[in-house]
Amino acid sequence: MGMDYYNILKVNRNATLEDLKKSYRRLARTWHPDKNPTGGAEAEAKFKQLTEAYEALSDPEKRAIYDQYGEEGLKGMPPPGSQSRTSTAAGPSGPSNFRYNPSDADEFFSDFKASNKHYSFSRDRTGFQPRTHWTSARNSRKETSSGPQKESGASTSQLEKPMPVEKTLLCTLEELYNGTKRRMKITRNVAKPDGKIEVETEVLAVDVLPGWKKGTKITFHDKGDKLHGQLPQDLTFVLDVKPHDVYILEGNNLLVKQVIPLVDALAGTAINLKTLDGRDLPVRVEEVVRPGFEVVLENEGWPIRKEPGKKGNLVIKFEVIFPTRLTSSQRTAIRRIMGG
C-alpha cells in the first residue's frame, strides 16, 4: 500500500490549500534536518515524506490523481497485486501518460519559503538558513566532529530570538470600531560594536483596522532591543479598550442598557442612540416593556473582520424604573385604566 499523504501532513481529505501550507510549515519545524540535527536519517526521511506529500496535494492535478489512484497511480505504478508493474493504461491501475517524480526536498522547501513569505520561519526562536547554507551546515557538523574545533562567532542560525516585548495600546471603542492610525514613540537598547549600550528612539506608524478587538496583537519585527548574542527582538502592541459610557462589546454584538420610567414602559417610548460611527439611530418602542425586554437591531453591531460589510447585532436591554410612591388619586386612576 502506498503512502497516505493526508496522514503524513496530519490533515483530513477535505483540507484546503491553506490548511496544507499551515500543516507543512508546522511539521517542517520538527523534522527539517537543520532544526533537528540529532534526528539523523529519521528526520531527513520524515522531511522528505512531508515535502513529497505537500508537493503532491498542493497541485490540483496531482491531488486529483492521488485521490483516485493513490501513490502508485500518481507515480505510474500499478497497485500491489496487479499483473504488471509497468502498465500505464488508464483504469483501475492508474492514469495514463502521467508520472510524478518528487522534487528534491531542499530545493522544493526553498521555493516554498520564497513564494510564501507570510509562512516565514523568522518567528521561530531560531530561523532556517537559506538553502545554499543547508548542505554546508550539515557537512560542517560532520567535519568538525572528527577533528579539533576552532572557536568562532555564532552564526545567525545559532542565535536565539528573544521573546517579543509587549506594549499596551489603549484605544477608544470608536477607534476600534472605525479603525485609526496612531504614531507611537518607542525606545530600545542597542549594543554598539564597542560593547556600549545606547538607547535609540523611533516613531512607528500603527494601523488599527476596523473591527479589531481588545487583545489583538500588532507585531513589528526587529523593533525591540538589539543586543549582542541574540537576534533582534520583536515589538508587539497589544490592543486594550477604554470603558465606554454607552456601549459594551460582547462577542460581535454591542450592548446598550436603556433605563426608562414605568410610564414609558407601559405607554411606549422613543429613544435616540448615537452610533460609534457618529450616526443618529432612532428607536421606537411600542410594545409593553417587561422585565428582560430587549430590542435587537441586526447589522448595527461590531464589524466582523472575516466577513467584510457584515456586522453583529445591536442589543438594547431595557430597565424599568418604578415609582417609589403614588398618591391616592394616582392609585385610583391606575385601577380604573387597568380595569383592576
Side-chain angles (χ1 to χ4, degrees), residues 162 165 187-190 223-227 230-234:
V165 58
T187 61
R188 59 174 165 264
N189 296 317
V190 178
K223 293 298 184 179
D225 291 343
K226 299 179 180 179
L227 304 176
Q230 64 182 35
L231 294 172
Q233 187 179 35
D234 293 341

Side-chain angles (χ1 to χ4, degrees), residues 124-327:
D124 296 345
R125 293 184 64 83
T126 55
F128 284 115
Q129 300 180 31
R131 184 189 176 273
T132 53
H133 295 133
W134 295 352
T135 301
S136 61
R138 287 196 291 271
N139 289 343
S140 175
R141 285 195 292 271
K142 294 177 182 177
E143 292 169 0
T144 56
S145 64
S146 59
Q149 299 183 13
K150 295 182 179 180
E151 183 177 351
S152 62
S155 68
T156 302
S157 66
Q158 295 172 323
L159 299 179
E160 286 194 353
K161 185 81 168 177
M163 295 296 292
V165 58
E166 294 190 349
K167 295 183 180 294
T168 299
L169 178 56
L170 190 61
C171 299
T172 64
L173 204 59
E174 286 87 351
E175 288 175 324
L176 295 184
Y177 182 93
N178 297 291
T180 187
K181 295 182 182 295
R182 301 281 288 274
R183 293 178 62 81
M184 304 296 294
K185 184 177 181 180
I186 59 122
T187 61
R188 59 174 165 264
N189 296 317
V190 178
K192 297 301 180 180
D194 60 4
K196 294 182 179 180
I197 303 296
E198 293 187 2
V199 177
E200 290 185 352
T201 62
E202 183 178 357
V203 177
L204 300 178
V206 183
D207 288 332
V208 178
L209 301 185
W212 276 357
K213 299 177 181 177
K214 176 180 179 178
T216 299
K217 295 184 177 182
I218 310 167
T219 298
F220 288 80
H221 295 294
D222 301 341
K223 293 298 184 179
D225 291 343
K226 299 179 180 179
L227 304 176
H228 292 310
Q230 64 182 35
L231 294 172
Q233 187 179 35
D234 293 341
L235 170 63
T236 298
F237 290 102
V238 183
L239 296 185
D240 200 358
V241 61
K242 300 176 183 177
H244 197 273
D245 293 337
V246 177
Y247 295 99
I248 297 174
L249 179 59
E250 188 173 281
N252 289 321
N253 295 333
L254 287 171
L255 308 183
V256 174
K257 179 181 177 182
Q258 185 69 35
V259 179
I260 60 174
L262 179 61
V263 63
D264 287 348
L266 297 175
T269 187
I271 61 176
N272 187 75
L273 295 173
K274 180 69 73 173
T275 63
L276 292 174
D277 56 1
R279 294 176 291 119
D280 289 319
L281 184 63
V283 180
R284 178 72 187 176
V285 181
E286 297 182 349
E287 298 95 330
V288 174
V289 177
R290 305 170 301 280
F293 183 83
E294 297 180 351
V295 171
V296 179
L297 303 179
E298 295 183 353
N299 211 44
E300 286 289 354
W302 197 254
I304 300 176
R305 289 290 308 161
K306 295 182 179 180
E307 301 179 56
K310 186 175 180 181
K311 300 177 182 178
N313 298 330
L314 172 59
V315 181
I316 307 172
K317 296 186 175 184
F318 287 86
E319 180 180 335
V320 180
I321 301 298
F322 284 76
T324 57
R325 58 180 297 178
L326 294 172
T327 65

